[in-house]
């Protein structure tokens, strides 16, 4: 939660210093450790343990990071990406989007 608040609080740096701050909150990523664990489980074990049916690929995560880094319209935004769903931005009116005063 602190990273999300930091991201929204630092959004003002875009206008002040031409610095954009964004945050990516991914779920399970198919990096070596999580992928090895995921592959060791059967689908039934995954369900029992709350492990997702799919993992986000490294390429998908890299694409999301690239978008957050290059899309000039995005600043102070939080992208949440759960496995098996498309990435989404937390709405600016969401309680999780509040800035620190």
């Amino acid at each position: 939660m602190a990273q999300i608040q930091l991201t929204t609080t630092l959004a003002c740096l875009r206008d002040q210093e031409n610095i954009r701050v964004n945050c990516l909150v991914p779920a399970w990523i198919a990096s070596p450790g999580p992928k090895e664990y995921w592959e060791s489980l059967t689908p039934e074990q995954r369900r029992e343990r709350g492990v997702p049916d799919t993992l986000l690929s490294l390429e998908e995560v890299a694409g999301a990071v690239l978008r957050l880094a290059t899309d000039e319209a995005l600043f102070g935004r939080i992208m949440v990406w759960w496995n098996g769903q498309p990435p989404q931005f937390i709405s600016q009116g969401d309680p999780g989007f509040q800035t620190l005063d």
Side-chain angles (χ1 to χ4, degrees), residues 11-67:
C12 65
L13 292 177
R14 177 183 165 238
D15 295 332
Q16 297 172 359
E17 305 291 334
N18 199 28
I19 297 172
R20 290 183 306 108
V21 179
N22 293 305
C23 179
L24 174 60
V25 183
W28 290 57
I29 301 172
S31 57
K35 184 176 180 182
E36 183 178 316
Y37 175 70
W38 185 86
E39 289 175 340
S40 74
L41 302 174
T42 66
E44 183 178 322
Q45 289 172 321
R46 290 182 197 136
R47 279 190 298 279
E48 290 170 355
R49 298 176 188 188
V51 175
D53 292 332
T54 61
L55 301 177
L56 299 174
S57 73
L58 297 173
E59 294 79 15
E60 289 173 317
V61 173
V65 170
L66 181 63
R67 179 179 178 201

